[in-house]
Amino acid sequence: MFPARVVPGFLLLLTTAAAQRYSISTYAGGAPPATPAAALSTAIGLPQSVVTDAAGNLYFSSSNSAVFRMDSSGLLTRVAGTGRMGYSGDGGPAINAQISAGVGLALDRSGNLYLADTANNRVREVSGGIITTVAGNGAAGYTGDGGAPTSAELSGPSSVAVDASGTIYIADAENSRIRRVSGGVITTFAGTGVRGFSGDGAPASGAQLSLTSRFGRASSLAFDSNGNLYLSDTLNHRVRMISSGGVITTVAGNGVATGLSSTGDGGQATAAQVPFPAGLAFDTANNLYIASSAQVREVLASSGVISTAAGIGSLGYSGDGGPARQAQMGHVSGVALDATGNLFIADTENRYIRVVGRDAAIASVAGNGLTSYSGDGGSAAAAQLFLPAGLTTDASGNLFIADTANNRVRKVATNGTITTIAGVGPAISSGDYGTAVKAGLNAPRGVAFDGKGDLFIAEADRIRMIAPDGTITTVAGTGSAGLGDGGPPLNATLTGITAVAFDGNGVMYLADPYNYRIRKIAFGVITTIAGGGSVAGAAGDGGSATGAQLIRPQGIALDAGGNLYIADTDAGRVRMVTPKGVISTFAGSGSASGSGDGGLATQARVSPVAVAVDAGGNLFICDSSAPAPRVRLVAPSGIITTIAGSNTSGYSGDGGLATSAQLSSAAGIAVDTAGNVYISDTNQDPVTGIGNAAVRLLQPQTASIGLTVHNAASNLPGSIAPGEIVTILGSGLGPARLVQYQVGASGLVECPLAGTKVYFNGACAPMIYTSATQVAAVVPYSVSGNSAQLTVAYQGQTVASAAVAVAPSAPAIFTLDSTGKGAGACINQDGTVNTPSTPAKVGDIIACYATGEGQTTPGGADGKPAALPLPQPNLPVTVTIGGHTVLPQYAGGAPGLVAGVMQVNAQIPDGIATGDAVPIVLQVGAASSPAGVTISVR
């Protein structure tokens, strides 16, 4: 047996092995703009790459994770992407597929559309409306040359081009190479893989390149009519050409970038400054057009002389209807020309597509200047939001959203309709004593109701209030950043307030992150109640909150007892301040190496950005910890679990289990009286911070009629086995707050628990925990046959019953995050928990914990912790690790843990492929544990 010191940690895991589950859906936002629509009336996000086809249609990609087509009449249609970042949809319609933000585009001569799907490390093709992957396996890296392109690794492909023969060229930006796909094989065409500048006049395969996949400045590829390939060597501030013979030379840019403005007009392009070249395009005369910072430059094919085609070189938005060379543009990222010579420009920063006609005048032809704002008066799920943060609900169940980057507050009524209730768009505080819908807001972050029905908005350096009649006023802050305690709130200076909350007495609390403190407003005076030093830190636990240090606290919430919870973001902790003013750490170890789900919250790794508390005292945390954001729940017992978010970033999972869903970022959270949890998923691109944001809804999974029974380790339904630990979902099963088991005077885990009894064929099952919607129990060893009758009673009343199938065994391995997938709850030979940072070695013995082994010898004793002689399963047991099947060194009761917990010790075999996710499967008799559980082996 392994050291006893590992047992208590696993025991905590077991007691919350299947905490309350939630389903996930999109409640508001996250949708692309509705099309077909007039291009100039549509919020198109930040356009990136532009291309034209032979029919004069313009295609462009967007930060809203979609590709649009605009025809010659100005009608806009979405042709690819759902508006939600991610990777899905191959083999189906492109409009139902997930893509990344701002993909690079190209068209071949047959009209097939190619996407450099940057964040997905793939190149995809849309043909006949169907999308497929043509290069890249999704992993970021550099492998695969000489093999199938879909088996190769790419890293941040920024652009794609197709030559006359159909050969595909890929700007493999983060690998500093250009790859070529021809004849079903991928090879490297240019670049050594070392970022730099060298190689002009020699074969491109030996050149150094400095490419980038950065949104708005992504390196691009384009062919001229002679078959020469041009590339924007962005970080070298040059455009280079690879001739049809494979030799690379510089054709524009001298390698110097001074500010945004280009230089050298009227001279040779190679002597000019061309800062951060991005999109490239050619006209019918082979003249080259370059998107460069806030300008478009033109290089004549006949002479190599460079000039400015559009933009004065300073950021802004002006000039429509006048000469293009006198117009202001933002950072431009893409250019394209149609057959008649119209020059299309992706004016990325201004959210417009602009065109320069043959008369050299400039005009906007697509976009309304907004990134992601639409939907008012319709379904919230079909609306667009832009970086929403704070959320709150009113007594009627309506949801209110601080739509931060749209400078608005929006309301989602209980019927699902969304409207704007405050803010007109520009980031400015204005309109006091008028109607809120006509007032200006400045980046609203937090929203909260007081007990009288007034809605308060944390708006940069002010607090605004909307009365029930819709009138808006300022109640705190002068509008200047600073710190001003001890006087009237209207005379105080505030700095970037991110959250507002109220206690039961109507006292207002403010999160003031850049002053490292929490402030309150009571009796007409503003004061600091937590933090207060000029130096950020995490000291002070156990003492007065005003003497403690905080580090960028962003979120706050209060429970029914008046305890204040603080999302102390950069401290990696949730701090709690009692009504008496004493501060302590409630969750978070402050260390990147803290433990995780199933353990004490104070030992877990968290990076909290927002918090909420429900009526039962459960604390909900928006946790931005790498590698992907999650929503965590801390029960009144102090145990922490994940209730939403898988281990990868993205946007997926609607309609399923919330723990299997991808989140991009969780910036705000609210809980309503029904236990529904709302989170702001900003769906941000990791480079730009831009995304097609949403509010997602987590609903507690309950069974209104009957019961649902899952294996406690796998979280999956199925047949039960004697001694199996199961979780039972329903409603009215137990108390509002989760209560965990206690070993009784008999030395057994007993039935009942907190008024809940679970019966299998009339035998009362040992109880692990109970709550209103979920309980966990151990199937009695007396259960036999093919089925059993399950009954749950609470406070002497039968709640529900159901017939469940019985099998000789139903094995499943517990996992560290309690989801049933990913890292198994396994202990290394040296007593450490098996994780990627503490892996096992080939030849080591590893101990994993499971349930569902069935009958044992000696016979199982219900509720009895395992002791000598240890019970062992009657059915044969094998373990498969990395595809290699071995007999276990030991399989039986886990010493000190309740009967039904099985410990399996197995030696890691030679010959397996090592890594952080080596699959492990347990077979007991004819039944095997579900796939998806892994261990780390190096």
Side-chain angles (χ1 to χ4, degrees):
M1 295 303 101
F2 283 16
R5 62 186 171 88
V6 305
V7 173
F10 179 71
L11 191 56
L12 288 171
L13 172 68
L14 173 60
T15 61
T16 57
Q20 175 66 60
R21 295 181 181 89
Y22 291 79
S23 61
I24 191 168
S25 60
T26 295
Y27 191 71
T35 63
L40 274 171
S41 67
T42 305
I44 63 172
L46 280 69
Q48 170 85 356
S49 179
V50 288
V51 293
T52 58
D53 65 14
N57 298 302
L58 175 76
Y59 295 78
F60 65 90
S61 61
S62 165
S63 62
N64 287 343
S65 297
V67 177
F68 299 93
R69 179 183 65 236
M70 185 184 72
D71 66 19
S72 57
S73 71
L75 186 68
L76 194 69
T77 304
R78 180 169 54 92
V79 296
T82 63
R84 298 170 180 169
M85 285 186 296
Y87 173 74
S88 69
D90 272 5
I95 59 172
N96 296 334
Q98 285 181 290
I99 62 176
S100 55
V103 299
L105 301 179
L107 287 161
D108 67 13
R109 294 194 172 186
S110 299
N112 300 308
L113 180 67
Y114 292 82
L115 285 63
D117 200 348
T118 308
N120 287 319
N121 300 303
R122 292 174 167 96
V123 172
R124 303 169 81 177
E125 178 188 9
V126 179
S127 180
I130 304 301
I131 193 169
T132 55
T133 293
V134 296
N137 63 10
Y142 174 70
T143 63
D145 273 3
T150 53
S151 298
E153 290 179 333
L154 307 174
S155 187
S158 61
S159 180
V160 61
V162 186
D163 69 12
S165 68
T167 298
I168 301 169
Y169 293 80
I170 304 164
D172 194 359
E174 303 309 315
N175 281 323
S176 302
R177 293 175 168 96
I178 296 174
R179 313 283 286 277
R180 178 170 57 187
V181 176
S182 179
V185 175
I186 190 169
T187 55
T188 294
F189 177 70
T192 63
V194 177
R195 180 164 288 183
F197 175 75
S198 69
D200 272 4
S205 57
Q208 288 181 309
L209 312 175
S210 288
L211 311 181
T212 175
S213 59
R214 182 180 174 184
F215 188 96
R217 289 181 172 176
S219 296
S220 296
L221 302 175
F223 279 99
D224 67 12
S225 62
N226 298 317
N228 301 305
L229 178 65
Y230 289 71
L231 63 120
S232 49
D233 199 351
T234 306
L235 299 182
N236 282 322
H237 310 296
R238 292 174 167 92
V239 176
R240 303 171 81 178
M241 181 190 79
I242 303 173
S243 70
S244 56
V247 175
I248 190 169
T249 54
T250 294
V251 296
N254 61 9
V256 178
T258 304
L260 298 177
S261 297
S262 303
T263 64
D265 277 1
Q268 288 297 302
T270 52
Q273 285 190 23
V274 184
F276 299 102
L280 305 174
F282 288 91
D283 64 14
T284 55
N286 262 349
N287 299 310
L288 171 65
Y289 292 81
I290 308 166
S292 172
S293 291
Q295 292 178 295
V296 177
R297 310 293 294 284
E298 178 186 6
V299 180
L300 296 177
S302 58
S303 62
V305 172
I306 194 168
S307 62
T308 296
I312 61 174
S314 66
L315 297 176
Y317 177 72
S318 68
D320 274 3
R325 292 178 182 175
Q326 296 177 19
Q328 279 184 303
M329 300 188 293
H331 287 291
V332 296
S333 54
V335 287
L337 290 107
D338 66 13
T340 63
N342 293 307
L343 171 65
F344 293 91
I345 304 168
D347 191 349
T348 304
E349 203 163 39
N350 286 319
R351 284 83 167 163
Y352 285 103
I353 300 292
R354 304 175 80 174
V355 64
V356 180
R358 297 294 298 273
D359 60 358
I362 192 168
S364 296
V365 293
N368 61 7
L370 300 176
T371 300
S372 186
Y373 176 73
S374 69
D376 274 359
S379 169
Q384 291 177 288
L385 306 173
F386 189 16
L387 303 183
L391 305 171
T392 193
T393 58
D394 64 13
S396 300
N398 302 301
L399 177 71
F400 295 79
I401 306 167
D403 195 357
T404 305
N406 278 322
N407 300 300
R408 292 172 168 95
V409 173
R410 304 174 80 177
K411 172 186 174 181
V412 181
T414 54
N415 66 1
T417 300
I418 190 169
T419 54
T420 293
I421 65 162
V424 291
I428 185 172
S429 292
S430 65
D432 272 357
Y433 304 104
T435 305
V437 292
K438 296 181 179 180
L441 299 180
N442 185 7
R445 286 288 305 273
V447 284
F449 281 95
D450 65 8
K452 298 181 292 184
D454 299 315
L455 178 64
F456 291 77
I457 306 167
E459 180 215 72
D461 304 329
R462 287 184 173 94
I463 303 297
R464 313 285 291 280
M465 183 189 81
I466 303 175
D469 67 359
T471 302
I472 190 169
T473 54
T474 296
V475 296
T478 63
S480 298
L483 176 64
D485 276 350
L490 282 170
N491 296 339
T493 50
L494 310 174
T495 305
I497 302 298
T498 54
V500 57
F502 288 87
D503 67 16
N505 298 317
V507 174
M508 183 195 302
Y509 297 82
L510 312 175
D512 194 349
Y514 301 105
N515 285 317
Y516 315 129
R517 65 190 66 207
I518 306 298
R519 302 166 78 177
K520 77 173 182 179
I521 299 174
F523 306 110
V525 177
I526 187 168
T527 57
T528 292
I529 58 103
S534 59
V535 178
D541 278 358
S544 170
T546 54
Q549 292 177 322
L550 304 174
I551 315 178
R552 205 163 65 94
Q554 294 194 81
I556 50 176
L558 289 112
D559 66 17
N563 297 299
L564 173 68
Y565 299 86
I566 305 167
D568 196 0
T569 307
D570 289 356
R573 294 174 168 90
V574 174
R575 314 284 285 277
M576 184 183 77
V577 181
T578 69
K580 294 184 178 181
V582 177
I583 193 169
S584 61
T585 293
F586 188 80
S589 63
S591 169
S593 60
S595 62
D597 285 345
L600 290 171
T602 52
Q603 298 175 4
R605 175 189 173 188
V606 299
S607 182
V609 294
V611 287
V613 185
D614 68 10
N618 297 294
L619 177 71
F620 298 83
I621 305 170
C622 288
D623 183 0
S624 62
S625 299
R630 293 173 290 172
V631 179
R632 316 283 289 277
L633 182 153
V634 182
S637 63
I639 303 301
I640 191 169
T641 54
T642 292
I643 63 167
S646 64
N647 208 36
T648 56
S649 180
Y651 195 107
S652 70
D654 277 359
L657 190 65
T659 49
S660 299
Q662 291 177 308
L663 305 177
S664 175
S665 62
I669 192 164
V671 185
D672 67 17
T673 55
N676 299 306
V677 182
Y678 303 86
I679 55 173
S680 297
D681 187 351
T682 55
N683 196 18
Q684 289 176 280
D685 177 84
V687 175
T688 66
I690 300 300
N692 193 21
V695 174
R696 305 180 79 178
L697 170 64
L698 311 180
Q699 292 179 289
Q701 285 193 330
T702 61
S704 57
I705 300 176
L707 300 166
T708 303
V709 183
H710 292 188
N711 182 292
S714 69
N715 287 331
L716 297 174
S719 299
I720 64 169
E724 179 185 347
I725 302 172
V726 295
T727 55
I728 303 164
L729 307 180
S731 58
L733 306 181
R737 294 192 181 193
L738 183 143
V739 178
Q740 299 175 31
Y741 79 96
Q742 292 182 348
V743 176
S746 63
L748 304 178
V749 176
E750 296 180 335
C751 176
L753 176 63
T756 301
K757 293 183 179 181
V758 175
Y759 299 94
F760 290 88
N761 287 345
C764 200
M767 297 288 299
I768 303 300
Y769 62 80
T770 181
S771 69
T773 57
Q774 187 167 304
V775 300
V778 186
V779 178
Y781 284 94
S782 60
V783 170
S784 61
N786 296 322
S787 67
Q789 188 67 27
L790 165 64
T791 303
V792 179
Y794 180 56
Q795 302 293 19
Q797 301 294 317
T798 298
V799 176
S801 62
V804 292
V806 177
S809 64
I813 300 171
F814 286 101
T815 58
L816 291 179
D817 65 3
S818 306
T819 64
K821 291 187 178 293
C826 300
I827 306 301
N828 294 323
Q829 187 168 303
D830 61 3
T832 59
V833 177
N834 183 265
T835 67
S837 59
T838 53
K841 301 188 295 292
V842 171
D844 282 357
I845 305 294
I846 192 166
C848 296
Y849 294 89
T851 192
E853 73 270 31
Q855 297 290 356
T856 63
T857 300
D862 292 342
K864 180 182 179 181
L868 296 175
L870 293 169
Q872 299 187 36
N874 294 340
L875 296 170
V877 178
T878 59
V879 182
T880 301
I881 301 175
H884 294 239
T885 300
V886 297
L887 293 175
Q889 304 286 319
Y890 168 79
L897 299 186
V898 66
V901 180
M902 180 187 187
Q903 179 176 328
V904 181
N905 298 356
Q907 187 173 29
I908 299 173
D910 292 331
I912 66 168
T914 60
D916 292 341
V918 177
I920 182 168
V921 176
L922 171 66
Q923 183 168 348
V924 181
S928 296
S929 62
V933 180
T934 62
I935 59 174
S936 296
V937 182
R938 300 281 177 80

